[in-house]
């Protein structure tokens, strides 16, 4: 009787695990490289430009200007460290007629000593320096009405700022603030407050006294909710809280009876409260279409309100029955592909980060 011999392979379970983990590691590295390639690609920027153009079709000229500022403002976070602008006399710029003081360049680590001799100044414009704090003697400038100090290293505002009773504009964008002094609430003539691109999680309740503020920009911070003081700024017309950590809006948003523009793009909100319909002055709302799934029907039905949904992930599926979004997104895809194909044809060489592919589309 003949017996056939059969060899049965026996594998060590650790060997199988190593093979599987190796494949998983390769897959993750491949995903990471693809993500980096997409970030470097020009497609994302072209896509954003077409979202902007589509949204502008239904806007008036002044509304387009506001939206343009909103979309382009966030590009400041990607600016590389500023290269100092040559200045032959190496002195700050003083415009005596308008009483304006200007300082620009990373060679400045503190304010010039002779500044104290010009207490008549009405405006300070200090940009892209290495100055980390404002001096306490700022109180000696009683006529100061504009304090514009973006893109510095300022991590604290002096409490003496509350004594600048004529201050109308305060811009401290893209600094290192983690808190705001309550004394700022004493600047009752303040009309414009911009604190974009800092590390703020809350604002002091004392800012509720700023009844003349019409423009409040606290985007690109770490707010989990709208500050209570913001809801008590009764003259507020524009509120920008985009790129924060909001999950919802308060049910008493209609306290802002003069609000015209509301920017809450790039947060974690899935719905908008019904009280927004009660704000009769509202003209524009900008939200993230990727996460928002529920909103009052009155916002879209009201022709006086521009309800703009911007998408970060254009591959997301559209809910069935939303014909308006579907039509807009289809037009967007067509215009986007047509523009991209035209730009590639005009180039002498293909971009180094692109991969040669073949595709067909119906435009």
């Amino acid at each position: 009787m003949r017996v056939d011999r059969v060899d049965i392979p026996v594998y060590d379970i650790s060997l199988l695990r190593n093979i599987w983990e190796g494949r998983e590691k390769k897959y993750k590295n491949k995903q990471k490289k693809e993500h980096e390639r997409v970030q470097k690609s020009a497609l994302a920027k072209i896509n954003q430009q077409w979202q902007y153009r589509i949204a502008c079709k239904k806007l008036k000229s002044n509304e387009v200007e506001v939206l343009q500022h909103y979309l382009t403002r966030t590009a400041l976070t990607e600016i590389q460290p500023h290269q100092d602008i040559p200045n032959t006399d190496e002195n700050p710029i003083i415009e005596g007629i308008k009483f304006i003081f200007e300082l620009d360049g990373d060679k400045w680590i503190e304010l010039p000593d002779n500044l104290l001799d010009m207490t008549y100044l009405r405006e300070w414009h200090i940009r892209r320096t290495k100055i980390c704090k404002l001096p306490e003697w700022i109180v000696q400038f009683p006529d100061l009405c504009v304090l514009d100090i973006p893109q510095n290293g300022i991590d604290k505002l002096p409490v003496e700022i509350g004594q600048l009773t004529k201050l109308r504009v305060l811009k401290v964008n893209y600094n290192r603030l983690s808190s705001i002094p309550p004394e700022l609430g004493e600047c009752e003539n303040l009309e414009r407050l911009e604190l974009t691109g800092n590390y703020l999680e809350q604002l002091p309740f004392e800012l509720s006294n700023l009844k003349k503020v019409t423009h409040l920009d606290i985007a690109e911070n770490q707010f989990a909710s709208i500050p209570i003081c913001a809801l008590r700024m009764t003259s507020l017309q524009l509120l920008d809280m985009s790129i924060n950590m909001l999950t919802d809006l308060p049910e008493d948003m209609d306290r802002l009876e003069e609000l015209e523009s509301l920017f809450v793009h790039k947060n974690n909100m899935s719905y908008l409260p019904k009280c927004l319909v009660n704000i009769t002055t509202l003209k524009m709302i900008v939200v993230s279409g990727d996460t928002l799934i529920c909103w009052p029907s009155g916002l879209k039905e009201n022709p006086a309100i521009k309800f703009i949904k911007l998408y970060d992930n254009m591959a997301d599926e559209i809910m069935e029955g939303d014909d308006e979004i579907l039509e807009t997104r289809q037009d967007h895809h067509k215009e986007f592909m047509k523009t991209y194909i035209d730009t590639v044809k005009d180039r002498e060489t293909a971009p180094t980060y692109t991969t040669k592919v073949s595709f067909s589309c119906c435009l």
Side-chain angles (χ1 to χ4, degrees), residues 19-61:
I19 294 174
W20 176 259
E21 290 178 349
R23 291 180 178 179
E24 185 179 11
K25 185 177 180 180
K26 289 181 179 179
Y27 177 73
K28 289 182 178 180
N29 289 336
K30 184 178 179 182
Q31 280 188 320
K32 183 179 179 181
K33 290 181 179 179
E34 177 65 16
H35 179 68
E36 293 175 351
R37 183 190 69 81
V38 171
Q39 284 186 328
K40 295 179 181 179
S41 172
L43 291 175
K45 292 183 179 180
I46 297 175
N47 178 43
Q48 185 182 28
Q49 287 295 323
W50 277 106
Q51 286 193 54
Y52 167 66
R53 293 187 184 186
I54 292 173
C56 286
K57 288 182 178 180
K58 300 180 180 179
L59 300 180
K60 298 178 181 179
S61 58

Side-chain angles (χ1 to χ4, degrees), residues 189-333:
N189 289 310
L190 196 64
E191 299 175 3
R192 187 183 186 100
L193 177 59
E194 297 186 11
L195 303 169
T196 303
N198 285 281
Y199 304 98
L200 300 172
E201 296 181 1
Q202 57 184 354
L203 294 179
F205 182 79
E206 286 77 4
L207 268 59
S208 301
N209 297 327
L210 305 178
K211 302 300 183 182
K212 294 184 179 181
V213 170
T214 60
H215 184 116
L216 177 61
D217 190 342
I218 49 178
E220 300 181 47
N221 280 283
Q222 300 174 10
F223 290 99
S225 60
I226 293 183
I228 296 177
C229 62
L231 297 175
R232 285 164 170 74
M233 297 178 182
T234 53
S235 300
L236 199 60
Q237 296 178 7
L238 186 147
L239 175 60
D240 190 345
M241 291 206 64
S242 57
I243 318 180
N244 273 284
M245 303 171 64
L246 303 181
T247 56
D248 56 19
L249 296 179
E251 293 294 339
D252 57 345
M253 279 287 293
D254 51 359
R255 295 168 62 105
L256 302 175
E257 298 180 352
E258 298 184 19
L259 188 65
E260 296 181 0
S261 302
L262 175 63
F263 298 97
V264 287
H265 179 54
K266 289 189 177 181
N267 281 283
N268 300 316
M269 297 187 302
S270 59
Y271 72 95
L272 296 177
K274 295 181 179 179
C275 62
L276 292 178
V277 181
N278 300 331
I279 306 178
T280 57
T281 55
L282 198 59
K283 297 179 180 178
M284 180 189 300
I285 302 178
V286 181
V287 298
S288 287
D290 299 291
T291 58
L292 196 67
I293 59 175
C294 182
W295 56 86
S297 57
L299 292 180
K300 295 203 68 176
E301 295 173 356
N302 189 345
I305 299 178
K306 303 301 186 299
F307 186 66
I308 302 173
K309 289 190 287 182
L310 300 179
Y311 294 84
D312 294 323
N313 183 7
M314 295 302 293
D316 287 349
E317 295 183 0
I318 305 172
M319 293 189 302
E320 294 182 2
D322 201 335
D323 297 333
E324 182 179 349
I325 295 180
L326 180 60
E327 182 180 355
T328 302
R329 296 279 290 275
Q330 285 176 342
D331 292 341
H332 166 80
H333 287 308

Side-chain angles (χ1 to χ4, degrees), residues 318-354:
I318 305 172
M319 293 189 302
E320 294 182 2
D322 201 335
D323 297 333
E324 182 179 349
I325 295 180
L326 180 60
E327 182 180 355
T328 302
R329 296 279 290 275
Q330 285 176 342
D331 292 341
H332 166 80
H333 287 308
K334 291 179 181 181
E335 294 177 345
F336 171 72
M337 290 305 301
K338 186 182 297 182
T339 302
Y340 179 68
I341 293 172
D342 291 340
T343 56
V344 172
K345 287 180 179 179
D346 294 336
R347 297 175 183 173
E348 295 181 358
T349 58
T352 56
Y353 49 77
T354 58

Side-chain angles (χ1 to χ4, degrees), residues 107-161:
K107 66 183 178 184
W108 297 99
I109 58 176
E110 59 183 15
L111 294 174
D113 296 334
N114 62 345
L115 185 58
L116 266 173
D117 298 330
M118 297 173 281
T119 56
Y120 54 82
L121 292 174
R122 298 177 183 175
E123 297 186 18
W124 284 14
H125 298 272
I126 304 173
R127 308 180 184 91
R128 296 178 287 264
T129 71
K130 292 184 179 179
I131 297 175
C132 297
K133 65 177 182 178
L134 294 178
E136 297 176 356
W137 42 261
I138 193 175
V139 69
Q140 298 186 35
F141 293 78
D143 295 326
L144 197 63
C145 58
V146 175
L147 185 55
D148 180 21
I149 48 177
Q151 294 177 266
N152 298 288
I154 298 174
D155 55 10
K156 186 179 181 181
L157 294 178
V159 296
E160 288 78 9
I161 197 172

